[in-house]
Amino acid sequence: MIAIIPAKDRLPLVTERIVDTYAEIGGTVHLGRCPMPTYNTVVSIIEDLKSVLFPGYRRRDSLRLSNLIYHVGNLVDTLYDRLTQQVARALIYGATGHQTDNPQQRHDWEAAAQAKTLDFLERLSDLRKELSLDAEAAHKGDPSCRSLDEVIYCYPGFEAVIVYRLAHLLHEMEIPLIPRMMTEWAHNKTGIDIHPGAKIGKHFFINHGTGVVIGETCEIGDWVKVYQGVTLGALSAATDVEGNSLRGAKRHPTVEDRVVLYANAAVLGGQTVIGHDSVIGSNVWITSSIAPHTIVSLERPKLRMRTSQAHDFAMDWSI
Amino acid sequence: MIAIIPAKDRLPLVTERIVDTYAEIGGTVHLGRCPMPTYNTVVSIIEDLKSVLFPGYRRRDSLRLSNLIYHVGNLVDTLYDRLTQQVARALIYGATGHQTDNPQQRHDWEAAAQAKTLDFLERLSDLRKELSLDAEAAHKGDPSCRSLDEVIYCYPGFEAVIVYRLAHLLHEMEIPLIPRMMTEWAHNKTGIDIHPGAKIGKHFFINHGTGVVIGETCEIGDWVKVYQGVTLGALSAATDVEGNSLRGAKRHPTVEDRVVLYANAAVLGGQTVIGHDSVIGSNVWITSSIAPHTIVSLERPKLRMRTSQAHDFAMDWSI
Amino acid sequence: MIAIIPAKDRLPLVTERIVDTYAEIGGTVHLGRCPMPTYNTVVSIIEDLKSVLFPGYRRRDSLRLSNLIYHVGNLVDTLYDRLTQQVARALIYGATGHQTDNPQQRHDWEAAAQAKTLDFLERLSDLRKELSLDAEAAHKGDPSCRSLDEVIYCYPGFEAVIVYRLAHLLHEMEIPLIPRMMTEWAHNKTGIDIHPGAKIGKHFFINHGTGVVIGETCEIGDWVKVYQGVTLGALSAATDVEGNSLRGAKRHPTVEDRVVLYANAAVLGGQTVIGHDSVIGSNVWITSSIAPHTIVSLERPKLRMRTSQAHDFAMDWSI
């Protein structure tokens, strides 16, 4: 006779087997190591930074010049504390990969985090100027745009650029992990994936933007306009022809000033340069350089009469 | 000897410099002007409208015909109040760009907002019928779809169409900003970006949908089916050849009845008409009109034997 | 003289007309039927499953081997209860489409739900091993990736694969609706739409991923790498040439081992096989089989000098 074990009594065994795999499979459990930056805290930091950069849009109705300084001062104060903590975690994680119990080491990392955080906050006023040029580019570049407020309020392309420029500053300060967490948060919200390492000039505008990918070693000039689905990517995977790792090498293209890239254009390769004032058409695929002032487009597609006798929506597609 | 200022003592200066830029850079701060529509309130209004249109799916388990009228009546009541407030804000914002302290003017805008909100709510019953045709098109048009419930419950293409049709009604009533906020919220959730100004016929189905862009002046017939990544966009930017602004001009294509647009097809230009019963293939790029009953496809791609001796996943891609 | 009815007094009529349409339009109201699975509960189940699979990454900082078993044991316990309830709802919904008041029937469905839930939880330890191979493929396949932690922490492609593999298990157990709710949640977050019915081999990596669509009857080998915007889709809609429904038929392609699919490539059709070790270039459109070791790419695009005298960003695009 077989004894049937009630389902709930088998759960401890389920737990045990799962816990066993934590030891078996390296690198997929985050235990007893240094605490990594906390995702939710990083998200709240981004939201507060956006309130500092563009006050009065999303969060509070009643801001006036008279109460603004208290509002911003308070935000800057709490941002300093939270960002310092997260940066310290990222620095320790990046340097050691695990927790340090040495109080002197811990103190040094915290001092470094404080200095980097202050440096970052001091750059926000310049960043505001830079972002106002991006907002202007969006307003000028989209005929369906009614006002600058509309850009700041609801353009996903602008939101992705705000987060990218914040993340890029942190990336330049060599803070690990947090910049990528920030741009992946923006990717999640907007469908636009800009690596924090990319270098992007002034007056940058991404219209619609879903599916845009801008790789780590891209260099983009001024007044560049990018439509949804555009890829500025790499040509090859992890190694070059001699088997050397490509981590760190220039793998992504250069796009010069005043280039427009239309929907789903893919420009690939670290040696590829799109010359200034060029226009890259929809669905084009480019792996070598393009001279300035060039228009690039697909050949015209093939046309055929449709012969199938489809009766309604349930048409068949028999090419 | 250099006096070191402790980091936290430098924060007031950071705040001051940021606040200074608010005055320097025009148009990027929303202060002392009329309160704009509140993003979170607009989102809660969309969610409540969805509960009115398709009760019992996401929010409440225990709806029955006997308690339904109270549930919907309550939703309609609170929707009226919140939507009226948001519409009044949008109307004042759109007309003046700043707050009005004139009580008579304020009263007039609020009366206009009440009338428009009531008009909008009165159209919901017709909208429900229209949306049931869209749900039917999704069910018929996708062989992997098991039931109408699945469409209403989890099809992002259907969600984007619900929000578009709501936003389009408000757009037709010439309410500023709120329609665009609504469709950008849907864009954020679904990756589908439909401008509230587009005109879309009955039985419309967007399958998968990520990356779809449908521009402001598109006109789309009945039984049209659109796949992920399709762009119905504009050919040129802010001015025509004579330098006139294109704001308001027809810049986006017309798509006639029973057209299917496959993944990543880009159809551009205000003069471009896709004739009825046509099929536009994946990754095609079209900037001029297509006759009815036409199948459009890319030329076959180039095939080559792969000669690189890649050993594993780290293959190189050397075309 | 016309009596003006105050706006608010017209709201009950608005409600009444909407409620009337609930009876008129079949299939778009979920009333007095069995409660469907609850969206928010399903989402919380996914989040808890992710904490079991990859503990310590997002949710809790202070996990150590000593307290881990309590943490996971507690999660498994509450997962069992909540998942059993949701699975029971899905089974009743799938079998009957409406609520059952027969206590014996209800008891049978609940017993079935308990058995399936336990079976599912027992498979999690194997799933963890499978997912660690996917994480490894991401780390190896992306030169900009710094560590395995970064993959688990913030790669949307990895998140979509986690949810797909969970949903696929439930799909194989023939649990209705919940698998699709899960993958549509991931679609919403990541822009990656993988049908739970697809069969995907080991070491699978989706890079960037926005716009990827993988259809219900796809079969994908090992070490396959997919970039953003790739479609593995169907060629035709609801019926074959003889008018038979295609629900259940193989409508989506087969992709063999070690294939790379670059951005926006569209591979369509149930008879289409991409042979092993092939590379499919960006924006290519394929509807027939490709031999092993083939490189497929678009013909080079058309280049023209740009003649328009655009003065600034407001360039016109007149091809």
Side-chain angles (χ1 to χ4, degrees), chain A residues 19-318:
Chain A
V19 171
D20 284 348
T21 69
Y22 296 156
E24 284 165 34
I25 309 170
T28 58
V29 187
H30 195 77
L31 297 173
R33 294 192 282 164
C34 59
M36 293 171 83
T38 310
Y39 186 81
N40 288 340
T41 307
V42 170
V43 170
S44 80
I45 287 170
I46 303 172
E47 294 288 10
D48 283 354
L49 286 168
K50 281 164 56 186
S51 282
V52 169
L53 292 168
F54 299 100
Y57 279 91
R58 283 242 174 145
R59 291 272 193 83
R60 281 189 51 176
D61 293 338
S62 54
L63 286 180
R64 295 170 177 282
L65 273 175
S66 52
N67 63 11
L68 188 64
I69 194 145
Y70 303 111
H71 175 67
V72 176
N74 183 49
L75 278 175
V76 166
D77 219 61
T78 69
L79 274 167
Y80 175 80
D81 291 337
R82 282 177 296 151
L83 190 50
T84 297
Q85 185 205 36
Q86 297 299 312
V87 169
R89 288 179 171 206
L91 292 173
I92 295 171
Y93 167 81
T96 67
H98 52 76
Q99 191 152 15
T100 176
D101 292 322
N102 180 324
Q104 179 58 42
Q105 272 197 338
R106 175 170 286 281
H107 179 269
D108 291 349
W109 289 119
E110 270 159 24
Q114 284 173 6
K116 282 178 192 285
T117 299
L118 184 65
D119 187 15
F120 173 77
L121 293 174
E122 283 178 333
R123 291 175 191 220
L124 288 182
S125 50
D126 286 342
L127 192 69
R128 241 185 74 74
K129 291 172 196 169
E130 221 175 313
L131 286 168
S132 74
L133 304 182
D134 297 318
E136 182 196 340
H139 187 212
K140 282 199 180 166
D142 179 6
S144 79
C145 178
R146 298 285 183 273
S147 66
L148 216 51
D149 285 332
E150 199 174 299
V151 173
I152 299 170
Y153 218 29
C154 52
Y155 270 52
F158 187 59
E159 175 153 39
V161 170
I162 295 173
V163 177
Y164 153 74
R165 295 210 188 274
L166 290 165
H168 183 65
L169 278 185
L170 297 171
H171 176 91
E172 284 190 320
M173 295 175 185
E174 303 190 341
I175 295 164
L177 214 50
I178 295 176
R180 187 72 187 259
M181 289 168 74
M182 291 171 71
T183 57
E184 283 298 346
W185 176 80
H187 182 192
N188 183 322
K189 281 196 73 180
T190 65
I192 298 167
D193 182 357
I194 312 179
H195 195 286
K199 295 194 175 81
I200 301 181
K202 295 187 197 311
H203 291 100
F204 184 56
F205 175 37
I206 301 173
N207 203 356
H208 310 296
T210 308
V212 165
V213 173
I214 298 177
E216 182 182 16
T217 61
C218 278
E219 295 178 22
I220 297 177
D222 296 341
W223 285 107
V224 169
K225 182 161 141 181
V226 168
Y227 281 82
Q228 64 275 12
V230 165
T231 295
L232 302 175
L235 261 177
S236 55
T239 55
D240 65 16
V241 281
E242 288 160 8
N244 302 310
S245 168
L246 290 171
R247 282 176 218 271
K250 186 165 191 315
R251 306 181 312 280
H252 306 96
T254 296
V255 176
E256 295 184 348
D257 296 348
R258 294 176 302 281
V259 166
V260 181
L261 293 136
Y262 276 81
N264 303 324
V267 181
L268 306 178
Q271 305 305 312
T272 305
V273 178
I274 307 296
H276 58 83
D277 299 285
S278 289
V279 176
I280 310 300
S282 283
N283 292 329
V284 158
W285 170 77
I286 291 173
T287 57
S288 53
S289 292
I290 300 293
H293 288 281
T294 307
I295 293 175
V296 183
S297 62
L298 283 188
E299 295 294 332
R300 288 186 63 85
K302 195 169 60 174
L303 306 184
R304 292 199 294 130
M305 275 302 292
R306 199 170 151 205
T307 51
S308 65
Q309 299 301 318
H311 298 297
D312 63 3
F313 196 50
M315 52 181 46
D316 77 305
W317 156 273
S318 47

